[in-house]
Amino acid sequence: MIPGGGQPNMQQLLQQAQKMQQDLARAQEELAATEVEGQAGGGLVRATVTGSGELRGLVIDPKAVDPEDTETLADLVVAAVQAANDNAQQLQQAKLGPLAQGLGGMPGLGF
């Protein structure tokens, strides 16, 4: 509801939207530059992803490598990448969640 029952100040709304857009772009850049890690098998396999979910690194301890059991190694790799992506999702929520809530409070922006 607009105080006083008047029309919203379009210039002010546009400035707010532009600032939120800039804040969102800055947060997305920070996410892309921030790395988080996930691990499996007690640290035998570690995956590193950016906050935006891009896989950047994978470290496999030689103890995890058994030529007779590549299935377990594959499972550990998948679990480590999933753990890293879960951590990236939490980081995204922390960085982008408040911005999305701010956008939802603006008239005409149904986010």
Side-chain angles (χ1 to χ4, degrees):
M1 189 104 213
I2 308 296
Q7 291 295 315
N9 179 333
M10 289 307 289
Q11 183 68 21
Q12 185 179 8
L13 287 175
L14 288 173
Q15 287 174 348
Q16 287 176 343
Q18 185 176 24
K19 182 186 180 320
M20 285 184 189
Q21 186 177 21
Q22 290 169 346
D23 291 347
L24 182 61
R26 189 175 315 112
Q28 288 171 327
E29 288 173 11
E30 288 175 20
L31 284 171
T34 303
E35 292 184 347
V36 294
E37 187 176 279
Q39 59 179 322
L44 289 175
V45 177
R46 294 187 321 268
T48 303
V49 299
T50 64
S52 58
E54 178 186 345
L55 181 62
R56 287 281 175 92
L58 186 64
V59 177
I60 301 172
D61 187 303
K63 291 181 241 170
V65 181
D66 178 358
E68 301 298 317
D69 185 13
T70 57
E71 258 183 56
T72 297
L73 178 57
D75 290 344
L76 290 173
V77 169
V78 169
V81 171
Q82 286 176 335
N85 279 326
D86 288 346
N87 291 336
Q89 288 283 333
Q90 291 174 7
L91 183 61
Q92 288 173 12
Q93 287 298 319
K95 289 251 185 222
L96 300 178
L99 291 173
Q101 290 171 354
L103 289 173
M106 291 191 64
L109 295 177
F111 296 113

